[in-house]
Amino acid sequence: MVDSILGKLRGHVGEAKGRAETDKREREEAERKVNSVILTKREVQGEWDAARTLYTTLGATGPKSMREITANDLAQFRHNMEIARSNFTGDGITARQVIDLASSKPLPGAGSDTDIDRARKQINMAIPVSAVNNEVRFITNAGPDSDVNRHHVLVRFNAFSAAVNKLMSAKSKDNKTPKQTANWLRKQKLAFDCDCGRHRFFFRYISTIGNFNAGRDELGFPKIRNPNLKGVACKHVLRVMSEIDTSTTVLNFLTKHMEKVHASADNRARHNMRQAEADKAAEKQAARKRTIKTSEQRAKERARVQERNALNAASKKVKRVKVKPVGTRKIEAALKSGKLAESDLEVLRRFGFTDKQIADKLGV
Ligand SMILES: [Zn+2]
């Protein structure tokens, strides 16, 4: 038997929670250290001890170069926060917004590729494996340079309560409504968390200040990794967002979860994907063409389709000009020039000659 490309589902929640615990403990230890290098919230707000020496990559030149942070930098950091925050509106972010922002305002990676490029090339599956009320856990494969073989992405659907309320007004035997509600829910705002280092060190701060963080809050400014606060999500989250936005696997999973909520007495439910079902979905995903489409790409595609349809419709309207056979045309010309009389033609036709035979006979 082939090993599951997704790994065992049993114990996935424990594994995800364990990684989150480790992350939290390491972060707390880092801040408690005597010579902690974390730039805290209050320091960014201006409570800056000038005797403290911290470094930033902001405006530093040369590869991997750093320079000392000055009080002026703090104003720049606050400004960068405002700029980043202006990209987000209110509580949460939609799956499509995450994809669009990752494409329009990317954080440059080590090379020329961005997180969305890497998501397209390296992350070929993201499966929703378990749901408890508003929280859904996804498992994705890890990239080629990873030290783990899979990642956990937690997604919190902010509109879950609203979805539940929609279902409450539907009859209990109404099968259509859970699916419609699931389809609505996946287009609404959400929050996310990933257990990878990219999310931890580059993006968690952004999701915290943007109000779309589903994990531990990060208040330490990413002065080294991402001082300009560019980008929005790691490749694992981007693959998950693409699945939420468009895949039937996610729609079916959310529909089943919604059916359980619909049938429950207290609007609470949990839903787990079975191992065999998850493996099948993962294999299907791994075998397909990997795309993640931005809104702009979708609009362009729609325009192309519309243009093609319009052209097809127009070409159908053009009436086909029927070309008459050569013999008939020759006869018509002979009639016009007087070489052939109408009455003779009538006689010949009455004898059953075809136009071709008549033309050949007449030598016209
Ligand atoms: Zn990640």
Side-chain angles (χ1 to χ4, degrees):
M1 205 183 115
V2 187
D3 273 345
S4 160
I5 51 173
L6 197 63
K8 284 259 168 293
L9 292 195
R10 185 184 294 273
H12 77 273
V13 177
E15 182 178 272
K17 283 186 176 169
R19 288 186 192 179
E21 270 303 309
T22 305
D23 166 70
K24 186 166 171 268
R25 197 182 58 241
E26 286 174 358
R27 174 63 176 78
E28 281 166 1
E29 279 168 9
E31 188 158 346
R32 268 203 306 269
K33 268 195 207 155
V34 184
N35 39 15
S36 158
V37 292
I38 288 167
L39 180 62
T40 66
K41 175 191 161 209
R42 301 180 100 184
E43 285 173 326
V44 175
Q45 286 172 328
E47 291 181 32
W48 175 245
D49 176 1
R52 197 152 123 82
T53 309
L54 289 180
Y55 294 90
T56 182
T57 52
L58 186 77
T61 47
K64 294 196 174 181
S65 60
M66 291 191 273
R67 58 172 184 81
E68 275 187 39
I69 289 177
T70 67
N72 286 343
D73 289 322
L74 303 175
Q76 185 62 47
F77 291 160
R78 290 193 297 269
H79 175 71
N80 291 350
M81 284 169 73
E82 282 312 304
I83 300 284
R85 270 160 36 80
S86 68
N87 292 325
F88 317 120
T89 46
D91 208 8
I93 189 165
T94 68
R96 183 68 71 79
Q97 279 175 323
V98 177
I99 294 167
D100 288 347
L101 270 172
S103 169
S104 65
K105 296 189 165 60
L107 170 65
S112 59
D113 58 343
T114 61
D115 289 279
I116 199 161
D117 292 334
R118 272 174 262 159
R120 284 177 178 133
K121 282 185 224 134
Q122 301 172 3
I123 309 302
N124 56 13
M125 61 175 178
I127 307 290
V129 289
S130 66
V132 179
N133 302 323
N134 60 344
E135 290 188 344
V136 176
R137 289 185 183 277
F138 287 77
I139 293 179
T140 79
N141 65 301
D145 308 321
S146 183
D147 51 358
V148 293
N149 48 27
R150 62 180 184 180
H151 284 286
H152 297 277
V153 175
L154 176 66
V155 175
R156 186 181 301 142
F157 287 93
N158 292 357
F160 183 78
S161 299
V164 165
N165 292 341
K166 274 172 183 275
L167 281 176
M168 279 179 75
S169 60
K171 275 182 83 175
S172 59
K173 292 276 184 270
D174 192 341
N175 293 328
K176 231 168 72 188
T177 310
K179 189 170 187 175
Q180 287 167 342
T181 309
N183 199 31
W184 176 81
L185 181 62
R186 68 176 175 154
K187 305 286 180 188
Q188 307 306 308
K189 287 188 173 176
L190 49 79
F192 59 78
D193 186 44
C194 183
D195 64 7
C196 76
R198 183 82 170 164
H199 181 71
R200 182 181 184 182
F201 297 115
F202 295 77
F203 295 130
R204 178 166 275 146
Y205 186 80
I206 294 175
S207 57
T208 303
I209 65 170
N211 292 316
F212 50 87
N213 171 37
R216 148 180 94 69
D217 277 352
E218 179 54 82
L219 302 179
F221 192 90
K223 60 202 182 303
I224 305 284
R225 258 62 171 248
N226 193 3
N228 285 308
L229 304 178
K230 292 278 190 231
V232 63
C234 64
K235 58 192 175 188
H236 317 104
V237 166
L238 288 169
R239 173 57 65 196
V240 167
M241 293 300 131
S242 175
E243 291 300 306
I244 289 175
D245 191 34
T246 55
S247 88
T248 44
T249 304
V250 170
L251 178 61
N252 292 342
F253 180 88
L254 285 178
T255 300
K256 281 180 191 153
H257 188 43
M258 283 294 139
E259 280 166 1
K260 289 185 174 174
V261 172
H262 194 30
S264 80
D266 61 356
N267 279 341
R268 299 177 67 77
R270 42 178 71 229
H271 176 57
N272 292 298
M273 199 180 257
R274 283 174 296 114
Q275 182 79 50
E277 194 187 347
D279 286 343
K280 214 172 130 192
E283 274 161 34
K284 215 171 112 190
Q285 281 189 4
R288 79 187 163 184
K289 206 173 148 230
R290 304 169 205 171
T291 58
I292 294 178
K293 289 177 191 163
T294 63
S295 294
E296 203 185 327
Q297 287 169 325
R298 282 171 198 285
K300 271 188 192 153
E301 277 181 11
R302 270 199 305 278
R304 265 203 299 274
V305 170
Q306 273 169 4
E307 203 177 325
R308 204 167 50 223
N309 289 348
L311 279 174
N312 281 345
S315 70
K316 270 180 196 153
K317 270 188 196 154
V318 176
K319 279 204 186 107
R320 287 193 163 239
V321 181
K322 231 183 176 175
V323 181
K324 292 176 184 166
V326 185
T328 311
R329 275 183 280 151
K330 282 182 176 169
I331 289 170
E332 281 174 359
L335 286 171
K336 221 173 175 183
S337 66
K339 277 189 181 168
L340 178 66
E342 282 278 359
S343 53
D344 294 341
L345 177 64
E346 228 167 273
V347 174
L348 288 166
R349 274 186 174 156
R350 208 175 300 150
F351 280 108
F353 291 106
T354 64
D355 285 3
K356 185 175 182 305
Q357 287 165 333
I358 296 169
D360 288 348
K361 220 183 212 22
L362 293 174
V364 291

